[in-house]
Amino acid sequence: MRAAPTILHLDMDAFYAAVEQASKPSLRGKAVIVGGLGPRGVVATASYEARRFGVHSAMPTAQARRLCPNGAYLIPRFSLYREVSDLVMGLLRQLSPLVEPLSLDEAFVDLEAGGAAFDAAGARATGERLRADIRAATGLSGSVGLAGSKMLAKVASEEAKPDGLLLIEPGTERELLAPMSVRTLPGVGPATGEHLRRAGITTVGELAEAGEDELVRMVGRAHGVGLYRMALGLDDRPVVAERDAKSVSVEDTFDVDLHDRVRIRYEVQRLADRCVGRLRGAGHSGRTIVLKVRRYDFSTLTRSETLRGPTDDPAVVREAAARLLEGVDTTGGVRLLGVGVTGLADYTQEDLFAHALAAAGEEAEGVAPESSGAGESGSAAAGSAGPPEGAPPAPEAEQAPPVRHWAAGSDVRHAVYGPGWVQGSGVGRVTVRFEQPGSPPGRVRTFRLDDPDLEASDPLPLVGDG
């Protein structure tokens, strides 16, 4: 525990929803819900306006729509969120070399390590300056907690929300924590909270009064000792600049259960490619491929295969994921699929593709894999009669262009009206509001889904160059 409140915790306010409100002027001050929009979608973030209706993160989107039917429901735009997060994290690293990111919108900073503050007055001034710099760079608000430990700094930022700063003076920790709910403490979830409530303990003060021995008796030694220390405000964990990733994974939940085995294999291949994209983006490779399958009855299976060495080759990951899928019974349907890579490293082993093919079965030597195009389609072509010799080639069948899909909240640009975002689409039409960060609320226009003047666009920066 430090004698000065020089550990800072920053938590951006309703981050995803705030980014959407900043980039879409017509949504400022209105209920905005970001997350999956399908029947099985889940809320990622809700603006404070939406929270007044009872909407919160991790809630099914269908339930959120019942609570807040007039809210704006938008898909997440993670590329933009990462860009904004990079700006914020850059500002934090100007304060100290010890920055510990917890997510895109949350981080600890050791102010002493960077010489940014050594006492309460300096810490408060640094925190206020940081909040102003974040608003100038992104147009967004962040809440700051300052304390002598990480736990208390996080408690302080939560108490400061939204758009505030709270500094906990060393020596006042127990007085501040005493009236708070036990759920305020890290690691106290619904089950532990209910267990403590049945024992008559609902506040942090009552937790401290119970004593270490009683808490050990109630919840076990490891958890009981930790709970007692936290109730006293004790936390000596340092700010750690590098948090090594242990795995990289992606997963999708489907609106309708998948039954077609061919479709399931296709989705696994697609997830494998996305997973490798993230793996390479992080500059890693990995040895162990993991497949996750959640079936129609909510039972979840995981299968894994460890290779001879680390890889970031999409073909290797696809092959391994396909082999793992062969060992999973998908009868009855699949509602979720995921592919991950663990055992991360910073190098690759070049001959792993040969290893992957060999693992698929040496007895198949000389038989081309399906992915080479010599599978069923090749056999069909070999057995079908071609056109008579000398006959003109048959004209290629005209294929209808694919129907474009415009998700609510996605960025678009029109050749005449400029940049905008999709408010909604259906029955062959798409509705677009033409506005951009810093502009007044824009006008709404409707187009055909296949309007040639309308195209997908990259997000615009939240704050312009002036």
Side-chain angles (χ1 to χ4, degrees), residues 39-71:
R40 291 176 178 165
V42 174
V43 175
T45 303
S47 68
Y48 286 96
E49 295 85 357
R51 295 180 192 187
R52 298 192 189 106
F53 293 87
V55 180
H56 57 77
S57 60
M59 171 183 285
T61 302
Q63 181 182 355
R65 289 186 186 275
R66 291 193 292 271
L67 293 172
C68 185
N70 296 321

Side-chain angles (χ1 to χ4, degrees), residues 161-368:
K161 282 184 168 292
D163 193 18
L165 180 148
L166 176 63
L167 184 147
I168 300 177
E169 289 279 4
T172 66
E173 297 92 348
R174 290 192 64 177
E175 180 183 355
L176 177 83
L177 289 173
M180 294 183 178
S181 166
V182 293
R183 292 290 304 278
T184 302
L185 301 179
V188 181
T192 301
E194 177 60 21
H195 186 58
L196 293 172
R197 187 195 66 78
R198 289 198 298 268
I201 299 175
T202 59
T203 68
V204 177
E206 291 168 345
L207 200 62
E209 291 174 4
E212 183 176 330
D213 292 341
E214 177 65 13
L215 293 176
V216 167
R217 186 190 66 79
M218 292 175 58
V219 298
R221 173 155 295 278
H223 201 21
V225 172
L227 271 179
Y228 183 64
R229 284 181 57 81
M230 288 191 293
L232 299 179
L234 302 177
D235 176 22
D236 56 4
R237 294 173 300 157
V239 176
V240 181
E242 298 296 333
R243 294 169 59 91
D244 291 334
K246 296 181 179 179
S247 65
V248 173
S249 63
V250 295
E251 61 183 43
D252 274 346
T253 299
F254 305 101
D255 293 342
V256 179
D257 290 348
L258 303 185
H259 295 270
D260 183 356
R261 188 75 176 183
V262 174
R263 169 73 187 282
I264 293 172
R265 281 200 298 267
Y266 166 78
E267 293 295 342
V268 168
Q269 302 292 293
R270 186 177 60 83
L271 288 166
D273 287 342
R274 284 173 51 196
C275 182
V276 170
R278 289 192 181 182
L279 192 69
R280 288 180 168 179
H284 290 306
S285 59
R287 291 190 63 198
T288 302
I289 315 304
V290 180
L291 176 71
K292 177 180 177 182
V293 179
R294 180 165 296 151
R295 299 189 290 191
Y296 69 98
D297 58 357
F298 286 88
S299 61
T300 303
L301 304 175
T302 57
R303 299 289 185 268
S304 64
E305 174 182 322
T306 299
L307 306 173
R308 292 177 181 171
T311 184
D312 64 354
D313 188 328
V316 175
V317 178
R318 283 197 302 266
E319 290 284 339
R323 287 194 300 275
L324 294 170
L325 180 63
E326 292 303 315
V328 177
D329 180 12
T330 58
T331 305
V334 170
R335 61 184 290 117
L336 177 147
L337 290 167
V339 173
V341 177
T342 66
L344 301 187
D346 297 324
Y347 65 96
T348 62
Q349 183 170 309
E350 298 297 333
D351 63 348
L352 281 173
F353 187 58
H355 160 68
L357 291 179
E362 294 182 1
E363 71 279 1
E365 185 176 358
V367 179

Side-chain angles (χ1 to χ4, degrees), residues 404-413 422 424-425 429-430 432 448-451 454-457:
R404 292 197 289 181
H405 175 68
W406 302 102
S410 56
D411 297 280
V412 295
R413 179 176 290 273
V422 174
S425 64
R429 296 288 186 272
V430 56
V432 177
R448 299 192 320 272
L449 288 178
D450 59 353
D451 190 313
L454 189 67
E455 60 182 6
S457 176

Side-chain angles (χ1 to χ4, degrees), residues 385-448:
E389 186 175 349
E396 293 185 6
E398 293 187 4
Q399 296 183 351
V403 177
R404 292 197 289 181
H405 175 68
W406 302 102
S410 56
D411 297 280
V412 295
R413 179 176 290 273
H414 192 274
V416 176
Y417 302 109
W421 58 278
V422 174
Q423 280 200 310
S425 64
V427 292
R429 296 288 186 272
V430 56
T431 300
V432 177
R433 185 181 287 274
F434 290 99
E435 59 186 5
Q436 53 189 301
S439 75
R443 294 189 59 182
V444 173
R445 299 183 183 274
T446 300
F447 308 93
R448 299 192 320 272

Side-chain angles (χ1 to χ4, degrees), residues 22-25 28 435-439 460-464:
S23 62
K24 301 172 172 65
R28 292 171 190 170
E435 59 186 5
Q436 53 189 301
S439 75
L460 297 171
L462 298 188
V463 177

